[in-house]
Amino acid sequence: MTRRFVDLSIMLCNDVVSDPPFLKPEITYQTHADTAHELALFFPGVTAQDTPDGAGFAASEWVKLTTHSGTHLDAPYHFHPTMDGRDGEPQRSITIDEVPLEWCFQPGVKLDFRHFPDGYVVTAADVEAELARIGHSLQPLDIVLVNTAAGKALGQPDYVNRGCGMGYEATIYLTERGVRVTGTDAWSWDAPFSYTAQKVKETGDTSLIWEGHKAGRDIGYCHLEKLHNLESLPSHGFMVSCFPHKIKGASAGWTRAVAIFEE
């Protein structure tokens, strides 16, 4: 038996639109020659000319990010200060360094919602219908990945406004069945803010803001955002690995999400 790996993460770079401008990552690249002066800090008197081929010291990068840059895993703390309040006393929301590792390596399930229009809010009935279509019964800790129209829009100016979003009832449908990690190839688990803002303006109902995220107040869970390449996956029959970077007290952690097939 062999393993096949499918990368589900976007490339973190300066020149691809993956966030609003004020959240844009910034990467400064240093070549071997750029850092040559640092040699003397560790080895007094040594210069670039003393290195093999006179190439210099070490290639390096300086990176300015939020913990929500690139493909990342959101912890319950990102959504709300408390979690698991539906059936008892709310608990302090866990941060990314407290997310159980067993949540992050489990069988994957893909829901194909590419046909829904941008801004559509997915319901529990939609999730149930898609699970019936693909013939899958959810198991506790399944990692559920949502393929939206945003997946093919990465890098386009309107990427953050593309794709459907997962509503409160759709999210609760999953977490009631023991799902603790979900994911989307859109910028957000919820519908794009531009569509939600219009609904809030029309109705005055502010509970529509981040309704999928805020489901974590009732049942704590994590979700992956800005996944990529989901259209290449089958509906199930693979494992997902999505261990987040361990950042103390943080609301999210950068993740190299990967689908693993045993063949």
Side-chain angles (χ1 to χ4, degrees):
M1 183 173 289
T2 60
R3 288 194 180 100
R4 177 168 61 93
F5 298 87
V6 177
D7 195 350
L8 304 180
S9 306
I10 69 170
M11 184 78 73
L12 191 63
C13 55
N14 290 321
D15 53 359
V16 173
V17 177
S18 59
D19 293 285
F22 75 98
L23 291 174
K24 186 175 182 289
E26 298 177 16
I27 307 172
T28 302
Y29 293 86
Q30 294 179 302
T31 68
H32 303 82
D34 291 333
T35 63
H37 65 282
E38 297 176 4
L39 270 171
L41 300 177
F42 300 100
F43 307 101
V46 175
T47 68
Q49 286 69 38
D50 299 316
T51 66
D53 304 318
F57 190 26
S60 187
E61 297 75 41
W62 289 91
V63 183
K64 180 180 179 181
L65 301 172
T66 77
T67 52
H68 301 268
S69 295
T71 303
H72 63 278
L73 185 70
D74 283 339
Y77 177 62
H78 177 52
F79 318 147
H80 198 73
T82 60
M83 59 184 264
D84 292 340
R86 190 179 67 164
D87 298 321
E89 187 69 24
Q91 304 298 307
R92 176 186 67 82
S93 288
I94 59 174
T95 53
I96 200 65
D97 50 315
E98 298 171 318
V99 171
L101 294 181
E102 59 267 27
W103 288 11
C104 304
F105 187 71
Q106 294 291 340
V109 182
K110 186 188 79 170
L111 307 182
D112 191 346
F113 290 153
R114 288 176 289 177
H115 57 285
F116 286 137
D118 297 337
Y120 179 78
V121 178
V122 175
T123 67
D126 294 327
V127 174
E128 192 167 47
E130 175 64 0
L131 287 168
R133 185 188 73 82
I134 65 177
H136 183 77
S137 178
L138 284 176
Q139 301 301 309
L141 297 184
D142 276 354
I143 295 179
V144 177
L145 309 179
V146 176
N147 194 181
T148 79
K152 287 293 190 181
L154 179 68
Q156 298 177 13
D158 62 345
Y159 169 68
V160 299
N161 293 311
R162 297 292 301 275
C164 62
M166 300 294 283
Y168 173 87
E169 64 170 56
T171 306
I172 288 294
Y173 180 94
L174 297 173
T175 55
E176 281 180 335
R177 288 155 178 78
V179 172
R180 289 297 176 267
V181 172
T182 65
T184 178
D185 52 11
W187 185 69
S188 174
W189 179 246
D190 277 85
F193 283 157
S194 58
Y195 293 92
T196 306
Q198 184 60 37
K199 290 179 181 178
V200 172
K201 182 179 178 180
E202 293 169 354
T203 65
D205 184 0
T206 56
S207 70
L208 298 175
I209 300 172
W210 248 21
E211 60 174 291
H213 281 69
K214 290 295 185 180
R217 295 169 61 209
D218 293 335
I219 303 177
Y221 78 106
C222 297
H223 58 235
L224 295 151
E225 292 176 328
K226 289 179 278 187
L227 291 166
H228 191 55
N229 207 27
L230 296 187
E231 62 278 357
S232 71
L233 299 179
S235 57
H236 47 85
F238 57 93
M239 297 290 289
V240 174
S241 173
C242 57
F243 297 106
H245 199 83
K246 194 174 182 180
I247 307 168
K248 183 175 176 60
S251 62
W254 310 290
T255 304
R256 184 69 177 268
V258 177
I260 305 170
F261 293 82
E262 299 283 357
E263 298 178 331

